[in-house]
């Protein structure tokens, strides 16, 4: 594929996207191997010394340019990029011009490591940059270079707040380069979305852009030929009345910030566009199902695997239900239907807890992303589970939904002509990134030497011992004046920790899915003297926690993790909130054998044996504590990887079936 024409035109049509890959897993693995081999053979071209030295040569005279000369240089570069495409010489010149322009408009000049990170991304790679190294500014290098060449660029971030913030902060740079930009966020109507997608650089989230793509697929119907795409684009240009033009301009170049969160953590669940349909069950029916479920006994009437959320009724349970449905509606006489309803009620009762998997907001059930702690707007569970949980919580029962179109993130992002990204926590999933998305990961050194102090994890036998040690530690740090960020695993846990601190007389603030609209304000204060902030995994990811006056001299921000996350990578994301850009900082984990994650993984006999090794309320030996934590994380990482792999296989299988039947999505 030529990199000179990655834009709408003769070669890729009016709606560019990469054709669906038909390679087997073995062929994909072989392709990934040869891609890595090729990049290693050309590793000099992908080294920091190479790119920095070449940019410096071009940049030397630019600092002496006045504004008129700079404008002329930008116009000449734009013309050459549009004519000749992304050649190495022109990309080098673009980087030099963008850095000079950023220094004048934003008062921020790209560091050498940012030049290297940007070079990796414009070459379709994944730059692993430590937290606080300025990934947002780094992404402007490939984004502006591609946009100047006429390539539509999508910069994809983790949430609407970051998308809107980054687009606004960087607008002066883009305007000086003659580029328009905008942010597509939740709540915008289709007409405004269409207008914004016409801009050279668009900031948005993975959810927004994937759903907009699905809306275009629905509008196209079964005819996905080039002529149909061209016709739709002409409709948009001439604004033909009663027409429904496409929203986007295709999938040319995507730059993904926090790439592991977007491409890995959120890739377990397919995106589905649905429409309302009449409910098959009345609100009373869900209440009846919950009543029946509450009358059953675990292990006697049903068996359940909380990890997979699988429920099976025993013969005794089936008979119990059959005896209890006397007097209920006629639909309950259908054995298969009633057992399916009771199973959903059991799952809703035992596997989904308020303030963990969901919260109640404005008397509505809203799903929480268990990895980030954020509310997932407009998401709902399938097959009546959403309605069952609403009945459980006494909320108004929403309409059931039926699917119109679906796609997985693996398939969606695989359709971009060029894909790149950056994140601070990639190495644990680098192999999967290469195999699934063809993204080769390269570690970018830090601009300044990290001063982060990482203390060993401490695991105590009981929750009471953990609570006592934790409160004593917070008191010590608070007395010194150091700000403290406390990481928790769920909304419920953050509220529980808040109660502990309040009882101890420690003033603090809480950041979780219930306060997500105040995230920027809370994070802005989290690095000030004496600040104590309790947060879920959202913890201001993508934002800098600026240290207040005098905090650096005291040791900087201290992070305390109070739960065992599903992945070591998520631990590192939390620890990365401290000691950014050469600032001092420290982090530690204070845990107990009674924590939910450990109780779900280890048997009670093993936990009891381990508890016996903790003498006089002391923590377990360091080597043993480390082993206890890592085993569940290794197991969970493997399980999640298998879930994503199965979803990808299922998606490919569904794609082949639909293609055979003449349909697309």
């Amino acid at each position: 594929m030529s990199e000179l024409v990655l834009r709408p035109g003769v070669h890729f049509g009016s709606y560019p996207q990469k054709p669906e890959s038909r390679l087997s897993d073995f062929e994909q693995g072989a392709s990934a191997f040869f891609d890595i081999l090729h990049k290693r053979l050309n590793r000099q071209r992908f080294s920091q010394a190479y790119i920095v030295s070449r940019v410096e040569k071009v940049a030397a005279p630019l600092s002496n340019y006045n504004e008129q000369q700079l404008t002329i240089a930008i116009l000449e570069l734009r013309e050459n990029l549009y004519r000749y495409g992304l050649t190495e010489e022109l990309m080098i010149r673009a980087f030099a011009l963008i850095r000079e322009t950023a220094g004048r408009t934003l008062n921020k000049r790209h560091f050498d490591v940012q030049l290297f990170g940007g070079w990796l991304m414009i070459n379709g790679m994944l730059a692993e940059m430590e937290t606080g190294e300025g990934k947002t500014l780094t992404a402007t290098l490939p984004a502006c270079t591609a946009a100047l060449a006429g390539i539509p660029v999508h910069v994809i971030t983790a949430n609407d707040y970051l998308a809107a913030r980054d687009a606004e902060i960087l607008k002066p740079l883009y305007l000086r380069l003659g580029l328009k930009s905008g942010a597509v966020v939740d709540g915008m109507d289709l007409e405004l979305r269409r207008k914004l997608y016409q801009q050279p650089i668009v900031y948005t989230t993975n959810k927004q852009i994937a759903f907009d793509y699905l809306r275009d697929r629905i509008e196209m119907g079964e005819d996905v030929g080039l002529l149909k795409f061209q016709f739709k684009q002409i409709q948009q240009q001439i604004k033909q009345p009663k027409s429904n033009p496409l929203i986007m301009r295709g999938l040319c170049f995507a730059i993904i910030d926090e790439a592991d969160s977007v491409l890995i953590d959120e890739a377990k669940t397919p995106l589905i566009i649905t429409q309302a349909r009449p409910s098959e069950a009345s609100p009373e029916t869900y209440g009846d199902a919950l009543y029946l479920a509450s009358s059953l006994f675990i292990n006697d009437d049903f068996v359940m695997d909380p990890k997979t959320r699988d429920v099976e009724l025993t013969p005794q349970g089936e008979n119990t239900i059959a005896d209890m449905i006397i007097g209920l509606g006629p639909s309950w006489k259908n054995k298969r239907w009633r057992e399916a309803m009771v199973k959903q009620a059991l799952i809703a009762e035992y596997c989904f807890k308020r303030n963990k998997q969901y919260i109640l907001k404005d008397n509505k059930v809203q799903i929480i992303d268990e990895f980030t702690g954020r509310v997932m707007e407009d998401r709902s569970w399938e097959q009546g589970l959403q309605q069952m949980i609403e009945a459980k919580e006494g909320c108004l029962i929403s309409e059931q939904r039926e699917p119109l179109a679906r796609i997985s993130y693996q398939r969606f992002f695989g359709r971009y002509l060029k894909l790149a990204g950056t994140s601070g926590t990639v190495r644990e999933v680098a192999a999967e990134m290469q195999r699934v998305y063809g993204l080769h990961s390269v570690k970018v050194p830090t601009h300044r030497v990290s001063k982060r102090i990482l203390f060993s994890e401490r695991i105590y036998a009981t929750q009471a011992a953990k609570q006592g040690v934790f409160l004593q530690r917070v008191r010590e740090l608070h007395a010194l004046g150091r700000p403290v960020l406390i990481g928790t695993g769920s909304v419920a846990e953050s509220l529980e920790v808040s109660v502990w601190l309040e009882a101890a007389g420690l003033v603090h603030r809480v950041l979780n899915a219930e306060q997500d609209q105040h995230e920027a304000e809370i994070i802005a204060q989290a690095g000030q003297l004496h600040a104590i902030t309790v947060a879920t995994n959202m913890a201001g990811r993508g934002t800098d926690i600026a240290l207040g006056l005098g905090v650096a001299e005291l040791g900087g921000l201290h992070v305390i993790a109070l739960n065992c996350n599903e992945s070591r990578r998520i631990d590192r994301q939390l620890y990365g909130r401290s000691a950014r850009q050469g600032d001092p900082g420290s982090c530690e984990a204070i845990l107990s054998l009674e924590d939910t994650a450990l109780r779900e993984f280890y048997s009670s006999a093993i936990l009891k044996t381990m508890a016996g090794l903790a003498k006089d309320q002391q923590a377990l030996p360091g080597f043993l504590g480390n082993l206890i934590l890592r085993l569940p994380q290794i197991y969970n990482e493997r399980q999640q990887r298998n879930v994503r792999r199965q979803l990808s296989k299922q998606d490919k299988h569904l794609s082949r079936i639909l293609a055979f039947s003449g349909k697309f999505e």
Side-chain angles (χ1 to χ4, degrees):
M1 180 190 301
S2 172
E3 292 190 345
L4 308 183
V5 287
L6 296 177
R7 58 177 180 254
V10 176
H11 188 83
F12 288 109
S14 59
Y15 200 101
Q17 59 183 317
K18 190 187 294 182
E20 193 83 23
S21 173
R22 298 297 178 184
L23 298 178
S24 65
D25 289 345
F26 174 78
E27 290 169 330
Q28 281 185 325
S31 175
F33 170 77
F34 285 113
D35 183 53
I36 293 173
L37 184 63
H38 171 73
K39 286 183 169 62
R40 287 185 177 176
L41 290 174
N42 292 275
R43 58 183 177 271
Q44 180 184 355
R45 183 171 178 262
F46 300 111
S47 70
Q48 181 172 321
Y50 175 82
I51 174 63
V52 171
S53 62
R54 293 206 58 189
V55 170
E56 290 291 355
K57 288 180 183 178
V58 177
L62 294 179
S63 59
N64 298 320
Y65 280 19
N66 59 34
E67 289 301 309
Q68 184 178 4
Q69 290 173 316
L70 187 66
T71 300
I72 294 172
I74 292 170
L75 292 174
E76 288 178 350
L77 173 67
R78 186 168 191 164
E79 180 182 351
N80 288 328
L81 277 169
Y82 200 88
R83 178 180 297 178
Y84 302 112
L86 300 178
T87 65
E88 181 171 314
E89 181 181 347
L90 288 175
M91 289 193 295
I92 293 291
R93 181 159 186 80
F95 273 37
L97 264 172
I98 294 164
R99 184 171 70 163
E100 178 64 30
T101 307
R104 298 188 186 192
T105 57
L106 304 176
N107 200 27
K108 294 180 180 179
R109 184 179 173 84
H110 296 83
F111 300 132
D112 291 352
V113 295
Q114 292 173 321
L115 290 176
F116 181 40
W119 184 250
L120 295 173
M121 285 190 273
I122 196 64
N123 283 283
M125 300 166 73
L126 193 59
E128 182 175 8
M129 303 178 68
E130 289 291 333
T131 54
E133 289 298 301
K135 293 187 286 292
T136 300
L137 185 63
T138 302
T140 61
L141 293 164
C144 293
T145 302
L148 288 169
I151 300 171
V153 179
H154 298 152
V155 184
I156 298 167
T157 64
N159 58 69
D160 286 339
Y161 163 71
L162 292 178
R165 182 205 68 178
D166 293 351
E168 185 62 29
I169 290 175
L170 299 171
K171 182 178 282 188
L173 169 62
Y174 295 143
L175 289 176
R176 184 64 184 88
L177 292 168
L179 300 169
K180 292 183 179 180
S181 62
V184 175
V185 296
D186 197 41
M188 288 183 170
D189 59 44
L190 289 182
E191 191 54 43
L192 181 55
R193 287 172 182 271
R194 288 190 188 99
K195 182 179 179 181
L196 289 171
Y197 277 119
Q198 301 307 305
Q199 310 291 9
I201 300 174
V202 179
Y203 281 80
T204 187
T205 66
N206 47 312
K207 184 193 78 169
Q208 297 293 334
I209 198 163
F211 278 131
D212 285 336
Y213 176 78
L214 280 182
R215 292 183 183 103
D216 281 348
R217 309 311 294 175
I218 293 171
E219 179 60 33
M220 288 294 296
E222 296 180 11
D223 182 3
V224 291
L226 294 178
L227 288 177
K228 179 71 175 289
F229 277 117
Q230 192 170 358
F231 171 68
K232 284 291 182 182
Q233 298 294 48
I234 291 172
Q235 282 186 319
Q236 180 171 334
Q237 292 168 7
I238 66 175
K239 298 181 179 178
Q240 180 179 335
K242 297 183 180 180
S243 66
N244 292 310
L246 301 178
I247 302 171
M248 298 166 59
R249 290 196 290 163
L251 307 178
C252 296
F253 184 25
I255 301 170
I256 305 176
D257 193 11
E258 307 295 359
D260 60 319
S261 176
V262 172
L263 299 178
I264 298 297
D265 294 339
E266 298 198 32
K268 299 184 302 178
T269 308
L271 296 168
I272 304 173
I273 285 187
T274 61
Q275 65 180 3
R277 65 175 172 83
S279 178
E280 297 176 356
S282 65
E284 293 78 14
T285 302
Y286 294 108
D288 292 338
L290 289 165
Y291 168 72
L292 292 172
S294 67
S295 303
L296 302 180
F297 294 94
I298 194 165
N299 296 328
D300 293 332
D301 297 314
F302 67 95
V303 291
M304 172 178 287
D305 184 345
K307 294 178 181 177
T308 60
R309 294 168 181 166
D310 287 333
V311 177
E312 290 298 331
L313 295 171
T314 65
Q316 177 180 318
E318 294 175 2
N319 293 332
T320 302
I321 295 171
D323 293 338
M324 294 180 65
I325 63 168
I326 298 172
L328 298 180
S331 57
W332 287 98
K333 295 178 182 179
N334 184 321
K335 183 176 185 295
R336 184 175 179 181
W337 180 87
R338 71 173 178 249
E339 290 179 1
M341 289 291 289
V342 172
K343 285 181 181 179
Q344 286 286 49
L346 289 168
I347 292 171
E349 189 65 41
Y350 287 92
C351 300
F352 289 83
K353 302 297 182 184
R354 189 199 301 186
N355 292 336
K356 187 171 184 182
Q357 283 83 18
Y358 64 91
I359 62 171
L360 290 185
K361 201 170 187 179
D362 300 326
N363 202 32
K364 293 181 180 179
V365 172
Q366 294 193 330
I367 300 174
I368 297 175
D369 185 330
E370 293 184 51
F371 284 100
T372 65
R374 298 181 187 278
V375 169
M376 302 171 75
E377 300 285 353
D378 301 324
R379 295 284 185 95
S380 61
W381 288 293
E382 295 182 276
Q383 301 174 354
L385 180 60
Q386 178 79 20
Q387 289 73 26
M388 195 68 72
I389 293 175
E390 288 168 346
K392 166 189 166 183
E393 295 293 347
C395 300
L396 183 67
I397 305 298
S398 62
E399 293 181 306
Q400 286 201 3
R401 316 287 297 181
E402 63 179 0
L404 290 176
R406 59 167 278 160
I407 196 169
S408 66
Y409 282 128
Q410 290 92 328
R411 281 180 70 203
F412 171 68
F413 285 110
R415 291 179 180 176
Y416 272 93
L417 301 183
K418 176 175 281 192
L419 187 65
T422 178
S423 178
T425 48
V426 171
R427 63 173 176 262
E428 292 90 346
V429 291
E432 186 174 354
M433 289 285 198
Q434 177 70 57
R435 177 178 57 81
V436 176
Y437 302 101
L439 283 172
H440 182 59
S441 304
V442 177
K443 177 72 175 176
V444 177
T446 57
H447 176 59
R448 298 186 180 95
V449 177
S450 176
K451 297 179 181 178
R452 184 179 301 124
I453 300 173
L454 177 59
F455 297 102
S456 59
E457 295 95 344
R458 288 182 282 169
I459 303 180
Y460 295 87
T462 65
Q463 183 80 348
K466 165 186 168 178
Q467 180 180 343
V469 172
F470 160 71
L471 290 174
Q472 181 59 33
R473 183 67 167 138
V474 174
R475 287 192 193 97
E476 293 172 358
L477 294 164
H478 188 63
L480 292 173
R482 289 185 64 183
V484 182
L485 176 67
I486 302 158
T488 61
S490 66
V491 174
E493 188 181 354
S494 68
L495 296 176
E496 182 184 8
V497 172
S498 177
V499 171
W500 295 353
L501 294 170
E502 191 171 339
L506 294 166
V507 179
H508 60 284
R509 298 194 71 176
V510 178
L511 173 60
N512 58 35
E514 295 180 342
Q515 292 86 25
D516 55 358
Q517 68 272 27
H518 303 300
E519 179 177 349
E521 175 197 347
I522 295 172
I523 287 298
Q525 300 298 319
Q528 303 303 307
L529 283 168
H530 300 288
I532 301 174
T533 308
V534 181
T536 54
N537 284 333
M538 63 198 307
R541 185 173 184 183
T543 62
D544 280 325
I545 298 179
L547 299 184
L549 188 64
V551 170
E553 290 74 15
L554 297 173
L557 177 69
H558 184 77
V559 174
I560 300 177
L562 288 181
N563 73 302
C564 174
N565 285 303
E566 289 195 351
S567 168
R568 179 64 176 168
R569 183 168 48 84
I570 300 175
D571 290 340
R572 292 204 294 126
Q573 291 168 7
L574 177 63
Y575 295 157
R577 299 300 98 202
S578 70
R580 298 161 74 94
Q581 297 187 9
D583 286 336
S586 53
C587 47
E588 64 181 318
I590 302 175
L591 311 161
S592 86
L593 294 175
E594 294 179 351
D595 289 347
T596 303
L598 299 182
R599 283 191 289 107
E600 289 180 352
F601 184 77
Y602 294 105
S603 68
S604 57
I606 292 176
L607 290 175
K608 187 175 181 180
T609 302
M610 292 176 181
L613 300 175
K615 304 293 184 182
D616 300 324
Q617 300 295 305
Q618 296 297 309
L620 292 171
F623 75 92
L624 182 59
N626 188 274
L627 178 64
I628 290 170
L629 286 180
R630 297 297 164 256
L631 287 178
Q633 290 181 331
I634 292 170
Y635 174 80
N636 286 324
E637 287 168 358
R638 185 182 295 115
Q639 290 290 97
Q640 298 299 330
R641 191 161 53 246
N642 289 338
V643 168
R644 293 189 293 269
R645 184 172 293 176
Q646 288 302 316
L647 174 61
S648 182
K649 288 182 178 179
Q650 178 187 1
D651 223 21
K652 288 181 180 178
H653 178 66
L654 182 61
S655 175
R656 292 188 184 103
I657 292 174
L658 290 174
F660 180 76
S661 66
K663 297 182 179 179
F664 195 73
E665 239 85 47

